[in-house]
């Protein structure tokens, strides 16, 4: 059941979402990473980041609140340790990156693109609170020349042609198509539609909200982009927790889904969904049916 994202043929339609499956070693205890469509790394920045204060994750009736602060070892250590391990484990590695400047994105893309075994790069353009974390503020990317489009154009230029650049965008159904059109013009090869929504921790700190409440919103975003740009590969991300969720996301036009916070509740979720979809007869995993945008 191959799935094409630009030049890359994913072995299946279920990937992990950035930051939700640790370094890969944690998830590998529960299933073979090569059995998934891909493994998206936590977001990697140029310099190491210690992460935010505790608690970083709080359950709520609306979903998972989190303020991890993009904890990661920085590019040098990631390339020396985490990436080679993931490649040896047989994972289709999608490296998530974020920078403090456009120039940092250029360096991240260039060095990640030169590293063997990278299937694609996912640019995190949609952190719920980018300024909290010192990242470039990428809102309002609808007009070319603005920062999100410059970041994507820069990454595209720095990466080898056979390494697709994906952009991860906010689940904002009324603006996502405009954003997608601008990013396509900038050279993006595919989109990840859906991220945590900006929220507050119970103690008032800025946080992201993830989980089931995002699902219908992310699905609507996928449908909006698919209706306007039917050939653009789109991965749906937000609240996917069951094979039925994945089927519904694929039916709305996604080429694949990413499983995020459901992995924190049950680390076997992505493997289980993947196996359920693979067991279906060909074509039964929900080819786009034009579902989604009501008249
Ligand atoms: C604990 C945690 C850490 C996350 N870290 C990242 C990250 O490093 N980079 C990123 O792009 N998204 C990150 N996310 C967002 C997820 O990748 C995903 O977009 C979001 O949670 C929505 O999907 P879900 O509802 O399936 O969790 C994180 C989410 C959680 C819950």
């Amino acid at each position: 059941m191959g799935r094409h994202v630009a030049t890359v043929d994913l072995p299946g339609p279920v990937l992990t979402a950035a930051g939700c499956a640790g370094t890969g070693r944690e998830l590998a205890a529960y299933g073979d990473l090569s059995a998934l469509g891909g493994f998206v790394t936590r977001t990697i920045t140029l310099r190491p980041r210690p992460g935010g204060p505790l608690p970083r994750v709080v359950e709520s009736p609306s979903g998972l609140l989190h303020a991890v602060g993009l904890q990661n070892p920085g590019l040098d250590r990631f390339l020396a340790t985490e990436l080679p391990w993931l490649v040896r484990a047989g994972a289709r590695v999608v490296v998530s990156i974020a920078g403090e400047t456009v120039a940092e994105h250029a360096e991240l893309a260039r060095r990640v693109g030169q590293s063997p075994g990278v299937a694609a790069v996912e640019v995190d353009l949609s952190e719920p609170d980018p300024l909290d974390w010192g990242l470039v503020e990428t809102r309002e990317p609808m007009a070319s020349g603005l920062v999100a489009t410059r970041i994507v154009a820069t990454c595209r230029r720095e990466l080898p042609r056979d390494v697709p650049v994906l952009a991860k965008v906010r689940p904002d159904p009324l603006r996502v198509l405009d954003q997608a059109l601008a990013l396509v013009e900038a050279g993006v090869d595919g989109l990840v539609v859906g991220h945590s929504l900006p929220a507050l921790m119970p103690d008032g700190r800025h946080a992201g909200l993830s989980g089931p409440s995002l699902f219908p919103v992310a699905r609507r975003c996928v449908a909006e982009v698919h209706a306007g740009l039917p050939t653009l590969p789109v991965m749906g991300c937000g609240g996917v927790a069951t094979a039925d969720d994945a089927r519904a996301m694929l039916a709305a036009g996604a080429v694949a889904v990413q499983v995020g916070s459901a992995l924190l509740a049950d680390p076997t979720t992505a493997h289980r969904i993947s196996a359920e979809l693979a067991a279906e007869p060909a074509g039964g995993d929900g080819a786009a049916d034009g579902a989604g945008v009501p008249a």
Side-chain angles (χ1 to χ4, degrees):
M1 186 177 16
R3 295 263 161 184
H4 287 281
V5 175
T7 49
V8 171
D9 187 16
L10 301 175
V14 183
L15 295 86
T16 60
C20 296
T23 62
R25 291 175 201 246
E26 299 83 353
L27 191 66
Y30 296 90
D32 180 357
L33 297 187
S34 70
L36 295 175
F39 180 92
V40 184
T41 68
R42 55 184 160 167
T43 296
I44 303 299
T45 51
L46 203 51
R47 284 172 288 282
R49 295 175 62 96
L54 302 178
R56 291 179 175 171
V57 179
V58 173
E59 281 184 273
S60 87
S62 315
L64 201 67
L65 292 161
H66 51 95
V68 176
L70 292 183
Q71 181 192 1
N72 79 92
L75 183 63
D76 288 344
R77 234 180 92 207
F78 170 76
L79 293 180
T81 57
E82 289 182 26
L83 179 62
W85 186 90
L86 284 165
V87 174
R88 276 199 306 278
R92 284 285 164 133
V93 188
V94 177
V95 181
S96 169
I97 60 168
E100 297 178 16
T101 60
V102 177
E104 273 195 18
H105 283 89
E107 181 171 353
L108 284 156
R110 183 172 59 254
R111 293 179 55 200
V112 168
Q114 286 165 353
S115 307
V118 173
V121 165
E122 177 180 300
V123 190
D124 181 4
L125 294 179
S126 47
E127 274 302 310
D129 291 294
L131 297 180
D132 283 6
W133 311 124
L135 303 178
V136 186
E137 171 54 91
T138 52
R139 267 176 281 193
E140 307 298 344
M142 292 81 175
S144 57
L146 292 177
V147 69
T149 53
R150 275 177 30 228
I151 289 171
V152 164
T154 301
C155 291
R156 187 54 280 158
R157 200 174 53 239
E158 297 292 343
L159 285 167
R161 198 54 249 178
D162 62 348
V163 178
V165 56
L166 311 176
K168 184 171 180 180
V169 298
R170 272 194 191 86
D172 179 345
L174 302 186
R175 306 174 87 178
V176 70
L177 179 58
D178 286 343
Q179 199 172 14
L181 289 164
L183 294 172
V184 165
E185 208 181 308
V188 86
D189 296 300
L191 289 189
V192 178
V193 166
H195 203 302
S196 335
L197 285 175
L200 287 183
M201 282 290 199
D203 64 12
R205 280 178 298 144
H206 287 181
L209 173 69
S210 296
S213 55
L214 299 189
F215 177 75
V217 182
R219 184 168 182 254
R220 168 76 182 264
C221 289
V222 167
E224 294 282 348
V225 175
H226 185 66
L229 288 164
T231 59
L232 183 71
V234 173
M235 297 191 197
C237 179
V240 175
T242 66
D244 278 347
D245 294 340
R247 283 185 201 99
M249 202 65 104
L250 297 172
V255 71
V257 298
Q258 294 190 354
V259 179
S261 48
L263 290 169
L264 277 70
D266 176 358
T268 66
T269 308
H271 283 91
R272 232 177 343 92
I273 297 175
S274 182
E276 250 189 76
L277 296 185
E280 288 174 350
D285 63 353
D289 64 359
V293 192

